Amino acid sequence: MKSKEEILAKYYTTDADGLPEISADGLLKAMEEYRDATEGAAFNAARQNAGDKLLYANFSDYREALKKEPLEPSENEKVKFVADSIVEQFLPSDPTAQHFSFQFRTEGKEYTARYIRNVQGYWEYESFI
């Protein structure tokens, strides 16, 4: 990988007095080149494996994967997110309770979230109706 100085040297010019200078556009290009180089080096240092083969063959494949639109969460994931964010308001006062549910409305729909107490005694989202 090139050093910062090597990358910057490509973008320096000399002014009328013979002094080295770098334009704002040149500095921006140098910064982008350095960022790309360091991201590539970091990628190669921490390549992700998917079993016995690499998840991404090279850095450009990885960058293309980042540009893709994220998957839309499922209805269950959306309901779980909302329910988990408000569950504290509905916790049962009975310490022996093993199940409870509560209703809420989101995105114009009514849902009932069901929770169950896990082995450690914490409430976990189970499902929705």
Side-chain angles (χ1 to χ4, degrees):
M1 186 176 107
K2 293 181 183 178
S3 69
K4 290 182 275 189
E5 292 77 18
E6 291 172 318
I7 293 172
L8 280 170
K10 291 179 13 184
Y11 296 97
Y12 274 110
T13 58
T14 54
D15 65 3
D17 298 333
L19 297 173
E21 69 178 9
I22 190 166
S23 68
D25 188 49
L27 182 58
L28 181 61
K29 288 178 183 173
M31 289 169 60
E32 298 235 351
E33 185 177 330
Y34 183 71
R35 180 182 56 85
D36 286 344
T38 54
E39 282 180 356
F43 169 79
N44 288 328
R47 290 184 86 162
Q48 294 179 337
N49 292 317
D52 59 344
K53 69 176 199 162
L54 296 173
L55 195 56
Y56 302 104
N58 54 44
F59 184 57
S60 57
D61 289 349
Y62 169 72
R63 290 190 90 178
E64 284 301 314
L66 291 178
K67 292 178 185 176
K68 293 179 183 172
E69 291 293 319
L71 296 175
E72 183 69 25
S74 69
E75 184 178 23
N76 187 54
E77 291 171 326
K78 289 178 186 179
V79 170
K80 181 183 183 315
F81 177 76
V82 173
D84 283 348
S85 67
I86 61 174
V87 69
E88 289 84 14
Q89 300 173 30
F90 302 98
L91 293 176
S93 56
D94 180 6
T96 62
Q98 295 299 310
H99 298 274
F100 80 96
S101 61
F102 61 92
Q103 294 179 333
F104 64 95
R105 186 174 192 79
T106 185
E107 294 183 349
K109 291 176 137 182
E110 185 87 17
Y111 293 99
T112 301
R114 297 187 302 188
Y115 280 77
I116 187 169
R117 193 180 297 264
N118 68 15
V119 180
Q120 293 86 17
Y122 296 107
W123 291 106
E124 287 183 347
Y125 175 81
E126 185 179 31
S127 63
F128 76 94
I129 302 172

